[in-house]
């Protein structure tokens, strides 16, 4: 999130067999001369890179997670199919980026999850039979206050193969001259580099965290063929889901309240997208659970996971695939409850077994997970160094996904 401080060197570097650590927050918070109360922080719109009224009301803590529909009807883009690797963003629209290292050399820390078991395949067949009895989805964006009951595309549709990513963009307020991270370029300067990483890897849908207003503004200028939601001018935009408009069409867009600093609720997005080439429908949810930047936040992370598990179960009840991306600021305490409570597997190889939760070697805090009875992951990458390390203090995490 926008107020998260730099992690300890070992917390995000994924060294093998290290004992899991949570992100500790940036050093300046411990040395700050002017104390800022936990109560005041969540209601500061500037903490999210926003300068809009109504932030106080939007951040009121609620007893239960609230669902919001902040979507508005938008013009649908023509369903032109994009090649897997899109052209690099024109340099004329943004400061030149340093040369990117080929992403094919990105470090793959674990193998892909194991092949679906016979029980998983049987569950897929059962879900496919249920889908055949549901009406098809409408093709326009939903205007409902909560997700409509959904049914996946016809079982006769081909599987949809695509690349999905999660990337913490390192908020603009944390970098540039005079900041606590002066070694990094400004947010607007780094944003075209992030777009270059996405394009070079052939990503068509991603969850971004710490995506602050100056970065969203630059993204809207240079990211040709991409759309971000909630995007600019919204509190939830700091954790936007982005997609290629020629590959995906929006069907429904929503937010859910997730506890952040001090337990105050912040809206975070989940969207239903239709894969243009195949017609398959997939839910994408993107979260940023709180770090310990302003005091111990484990109880708020645990509550966030509880709500996230409930959301995945609700969205997946009719068999529609669900993918979750995000910076969880946790390893086992994020993935294991999600795996056992919502039946997900992780692109990094972490999965649930008959004997318990099996984490991949050196798991990070940045995740791409999906419902295991209708999604397969392969070709997982957690990329560091080169352009990635100049763009953010987090790795660029991505994988190939196939939705059935």
């Amino acid at each position: 999130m926008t107020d998260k401080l730099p992690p300890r060197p070992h917390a995000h570097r994924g060294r093998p067999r290290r004992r899991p650590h949570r992100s500790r927050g940036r050093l300046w918070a411990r040395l700050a001369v002017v104390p800022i109360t936990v109560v005041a922080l969540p209601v500061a719109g500037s903490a999210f890179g926003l300068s809009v009224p109504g932030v106080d009301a939007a951040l009121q803590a609620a007893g239960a997670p609230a669902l919001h529909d902040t979507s508005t009807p938008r013009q649908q883009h023509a369903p032109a199919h994009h090649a897997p690797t899109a052209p690099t963003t024109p340099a004329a629209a943004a400061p030149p980026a340093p040369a990117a290292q080929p992403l094919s050399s990105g470090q793959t820390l674990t193998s892909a999850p194991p092949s679906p078991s016979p029980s998983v395949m049987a569950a897929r067949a059962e879900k496919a039979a249920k889908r055949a009895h549901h009406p098809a989805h409408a093709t326009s964006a939903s205007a409902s206050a909560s997700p409509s009951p959904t049914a996946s595309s016809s079982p006769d549709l081909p599987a949809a193969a695509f690349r999905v990513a999660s990337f913490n963009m390192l908020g603009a307020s944390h970098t540039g001259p005079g900041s606590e991270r002066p070694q990094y370029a400004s947010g607007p300067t780094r944003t075209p580099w992030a777009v270059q990483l996405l394009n070079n890897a052939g990503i068509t849908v991603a969850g971004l965290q710490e995506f602050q207003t100056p970065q969203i503004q630059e993204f809207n200028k240079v990211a040709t063929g991409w759309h971000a939601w909630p995007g600019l001018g919204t509190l939830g935009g700091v954790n936007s889901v982005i997609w290629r408009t020629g590959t995906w069409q929006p069907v429904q867009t929503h937010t859910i309240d997730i506890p952040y600093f001090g337990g105050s609720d912040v809206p975070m997005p989940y969207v239903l997208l239709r894969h243009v080439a195949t017609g398959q429908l997939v839910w994408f949810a993107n979260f940023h659970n709180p770090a310990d930047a302003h005091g111990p936040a484990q109880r708020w992370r645990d509550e966030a996971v509880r709500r996230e598990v409930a959301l995945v179960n609700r969205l997946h009840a009719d068999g529609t695939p669900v993918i979750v991306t995000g910076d969880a600021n946790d390893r086992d305490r994020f993935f294991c409850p999600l795996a056992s409570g919502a039946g997900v597997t992780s692109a990094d190889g972490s999965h649930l077994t008959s004997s318990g939760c099996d984490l991949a070697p050196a798991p990070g805090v940045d995740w791409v997970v999906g419902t295991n009875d209708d999604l397969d992951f392969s070709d997982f990458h957690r990329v560091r160094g080169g352009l990635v390390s100049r763009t953010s203090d987090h790795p660029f995490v991505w994988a190939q996904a196939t939705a059935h």
Side-chain angles (χ1 to χ4, degrees):
M1 191 67 183
T2 57
D3 279 353
K4 196 187 68 177
L5 306 180
R8 291 183 176 181
H10 61 268
H12 287 266
R13 294 303 177 255
R15 293 175 181 171
R17 302 301 181 185
R18 290 274 188 174
R19 183 180 177 182
H21 291 277
R22 298 185 296 271
S23 299
R24 296 299 183 184
R26 295 187 167 81
L27 182 60
W28 68 268
R30 305 191 196 107
L31 304 179
V33 176
V34 181
I36 302 174
T37 67
V38 170
V39 174
L41 279 167
V43 301
S46 61
F48 299 95
L50 298 171
S51 301
V52 295
V55 171
D56 291 345
L59 280 175
Q60 283 183 334
L67 299 174
H68 311 278
D69 174 57
T70 53
S71 63
T72 55
R74 60 174 64 89
Q75 182 179 358
Q76 299 296 316
H77 297 271
H81 181 66
H82 282 260
T85 302
T88 301
T89 304
Q101 295 181 349
L103 292 186
S104 58
S105 63
Q107 183 182 15
T108 300
L109 299 184
T110 67
S111 61
S115 299
S117 65
S119 61
V120 168
M121 296 304 295
R124 288 181 179 176
E126 180 181 355
K127 287 180 180 295
K130 291 180 180 179
R131 294 171 190 170
H133 298 289
H134 285 274
H137 282 297
T139 57
S140 59
S142 169
S144 63
S146 62
S148 302
T150 63
S152 286
S153 305
S154 166
D156 295 330
L157 291 174
F162 54 91
R163 289 183 177 182
V164 56
S166 183
F167 196 31
N168 184 314
M169 298 276 283
L170 182 57
S173 64
H174 300 306
T175 66
S179 71
E180 77 274 13
R181 306 283 278 183
Q183 70 272 31
Y184 285 91
S186 69
T189 298
R190 292 181 287 110
T191 299
W193 305 347
V195 175
Q196 182 178 335
L197 291 169
L198 293 163
N199 288 342
N200 286 356
I203 307 301
T204 64
V205 60
L208 304 181
Q209 306 87 44
E210 296 195 26
F211 191 38
Q212 294 182 349
T213 294
Q215 292 156 295
I216 301 174
Q217 290 172 331
E218 188 66 20
F219 178 89
N220 289 344
K221 294 176 185 177
V222 304
T224 304
W226 287 89
H227 182 77
W229 194 87
L232 192 63
T234 65
L235 187 62
V238 73
N239 295 303
S240 287
V241 176
I242 64 170
W243 61 86
R244 277 204 164 275
T245 55
T247 305
W248 299 96
Q249 291 177 329
V251 178
Q252 295 185 35
T253 55
H254 306 273
T255 63
I256 179 174
D257 285 342
I258 297 296
Y260 206 65
F261 292 136
S264 291
D265 287 339
V266 174
M268 299 190 189
Y270 61 103
V271 303
L272 180 66
L273 301 181
R274 185 186 302 277
H275 189 252
V276 172
T278 65
Q280 289 281 1
L281 294 164
V282 183
W283 283 104
F284 295 91
N286 183 49
F287 302 119
H288 191 180
N289 296 346
D292 294 334
H294 302 288
Q298 187 64 61
R299 63 170 172 161
W300 305 124
R301 289 195 293 273
D302 291 345
E303 172 60 18
V305 172
R306 186 191 69 78
R307 299 185 190 184
E308 291 153 9
V309 167
L311 177 66
V312 172
N313 283 327
R314 184 163 66 251
L315 299 180
H316 190 51
D318 64 355
T320 306
V322 183
I323 288 180
V324 175
T325 57
D327 175 359
N329 279 303
D330 257 331
R331 294 170 174 81
D332 57 328
R333 292 188 69 158
F334 169 76
F335 176 73
C336 294
L338 202 60
S340 60
V344 304
T345 191
S346 174
D348 73 352
S350 300
H351 62 286
L352 198 65
T353 70
S354 58
S355 59
C357 182
D358 186 9
L359 289 181
V365 299
D366 302 283
W367 293 90
V368 175
V369 306
T371 45
N372 62 12
D373 57 355
D374 40 31
L375 283 163
D376 293 319
F377 290 113
S378 61
D379 196 25
F380 172 74
H381 291 257
R382 183 181 291 120
V383 187
R384 300 182 184 277
L387 186 59
V388 174
S389 293
R390 300 190 66 172
T391 304
S392 176
D393 58 349
H394 281 249
F396 178 48
V397 177
W398 64 272
Q400 180 83 8
T402 304
H404 303 278

